[in-house]
Amino acid sequence: MKKKIFSLSCALTTSFIWGTAFVAQDMGMDYIGPLTFTSARLFLGFLTLLPLLLFFEFKKVKQSKCNLKVITLILFISFLMSYGNSLQQYALLYTDVANTAVFTILYVVFVPFVSFLFYSKNIHWSVWPCVVTCLLGGLLLTELDNVVVRLGDSIAFCNALLWAFHIVFISKLLLKFNFPITIAASQCFIGSIFTFFPALIFEDVILSNIFLEYKEILYVGILSSGFAFLLQIFGQQNLGPSSVAIIFSLEGAIAAIAGWIILDQILNEIKIVGIVLIIFAVIFSQIVPIYKNK
């Protein structure tokens, strides 16, 4: 019971950090590009977790059997995480915080499909009405007459697919390699490399410009990339994917409120209805299967 309460606390804290981090992500690209921002935040996240890794898990990991399958899974989740973050940054260039965050939490609806595709887990009937509701909510949330906003929303939608794969394969990795700090630190370090080299090709990576965004990078790097990704893994240790996904979905509502308060990104009535529909569908798709099992 204590372990479940601990995981619940970790998941709730993760949702709050991720939700508020959208504001910092939106504000942190005045002088640098999305890939540069992502690489910087992930490397800072790695540096944040490195002392914890060396102190708590390094000796245990050395004694464990880290086979090729574990290494492959770590590389895969690192790729998913790095480009999930990158697509979030690109989406924020074209649409507002609320849209990006709410489309991102569609990963909760995609998770059952990913589980079915790779592990033949049955898709519960509740997913289908939720998909329709999410599509309706997305229609209300998107400004159909604004091509730029539609582009940003589409990027955020693709980003949700990457996060769905990330959640499923994190759970699978934990069954084979139960070292949360090592996983969190490794994916941050490898993810920073995955995004650094494309940034060199497609963006102007200038150290002085990165320092101009130091406040946003510090917040997102230390809290969202470092501690929050670690807390995510702790949350998934003792809670089922469906239960923890409900809690993670709160990041969408938190981000929308934070964007409204801090960035004055006012939401009209139609967008609010769209947000409510998507969040309701996400939570409903997770609660119904749990209730049936009980």
Side-chain angles (χ1 to χ4, degrees):
M1 187 64 182
K2 288 182 179 180
K3 288 183 178 180
K4 286 193 174 183
I5 292 173
F6 172 72
S7 290
L8 177 63
S9 302
C10 289
L12 285 169
T13 307
T14 300
S15 297
F16 178 79
I17 295 173
W18 280 351
T20 54
F22 274 97
V23 174
Q25 289 174 240
D26 188 54
M27 296 170 63
M29 292 187 291
D30 292 334
Y31 303 99
I32 59 178
L35 290 168
T36 305
F37 184 89
T38 302
S39 183
R41 67 173 283 189
L42 292 180
F43 187 70
L44 183 56
F46 164 71
L47 292 178
T48 303
L49 295 172
L50 184 59
L52 298 177
L53 167 61
L54 294 174
F55 187 78
F56 290 107
E57 287 187 357
F58 184 68
K59 289 183 179 179
K60 296 177 183 177
V61 171
K62 283 181 67 178
Q63 296 170 358
S64 68
K65 294 180 180 179
C66 187
N67 55 37
L68 182 60
K69 192 166 186 178
V70 168
I71 294 171
T72 303
L73 280 171
I74 290 174
L75 288 171
F76 185 52
I77 65 165
S78 301
F79 171 83
L80 294 171
M81 188 264 292
S82 61
Y83 285 99
N85 277 311
S86 298
L87 287 178
Q88 273 184 3
Q89 294 303 130
Y90 276 107
L92 287 166
L93 291 176
Y94 303 107
T95 190
D96 59 26
V97 166
N99 285 38
T100 304
V102 173
F103 276 104
T104 294
I105 67 168
L106 288 177
Y107 61 70
V108 181
V109 180
F110 295 149
V111 163
F113 293 97
V114 176
S115 297
F116 175 78
L117 182 64
F118 285 91
Y119 301 105
S120 300
K121 290 190 175 182
N122 292 330
I123 299 175
H124 195 268
W125 66 265
S126 62
V127 169
W128 303 112
C130 290
V131 169
V132 174
T133 305
C134 283
L135 290 174
L136 177 60
L139 197 65
L140 296 176
L141 196 58
T142 299
E143 298 172 20
L144 296 177
D145 59 339
N146 191 326
V147 176
V148 174
V149 172
R150 289 209 310 271
L151 174 61
D153 293 344
S154 300
I155 294 172
F157 182 86
C158 295
N159 150 61
L161 285 170
L162 293 183
W163 287 118
F165 278 88
H166 186 261
I167 288 174
V168 170
F169 282 92
I170 280 284
S171 294
K172 292 299 174 184
L173 178 58
L174 282 169
L175 295 175
K176 302 176 182 296
F177 188 74
N178 193 14
F179 296 100
I181 303 174
T182 305
I183 293 172
S186 298
Q187 69 174 359
C188 283
F189 178 70
I190 298 169
S192 70
I193 296 173
F194 280 154
T195 48
F196 177 70
F197 290 105
L200 289 176
I201 297 171
F202 297 108
E203 297 173 1
D204 294 325
V205 181
I206 302 171
L207 191 61
S208 59
N209 287 349
I210 295 174
F211 282 121
L212 290 174
E213 308 286 3
Y214 78 94
K215 292 180 182 178
E216 291 79 10
I217 292 174
L218 282 175
Y219 184 85
V220 177
I222 295 173
L223 290 178
S224 184
S225 297
F227 290 117
F229 280 123
L230 176 59
L231 292 173
Q232 174 204 356
I233 296 169
F234 280 136
Q236 289 190 236
Q237 262 189 322
N238 302 301
L239 295 173
S242 297
S243 302
V244 82
I246 298 171
I247 303 167
F248 289 157
S249 68
L250 293 173
E251 69 169 304
I254 293 168
I257 294 169
W260 194 345
I261 294 172
I262 300 173
L263 300 176
D264 293 325
Q265 295 183 352
I266 297 173
L267 304 171
N268 58 36
E269 292 82 359
I270 295 176
K271 282 196 171 188
I272 291 173
V273 172
I275 290 171
V276 170
L277 282 175
I278 291 176
I279 292 175
F280 170 78
V282 165
I283 294 175
F284 181 81
S285 70
Q286 303 304 309
I287 287 179
V288 171
I290 294 172
Y291 179 78
K292 181 182 177 182
N293 289 337
K294 287 184 178 180

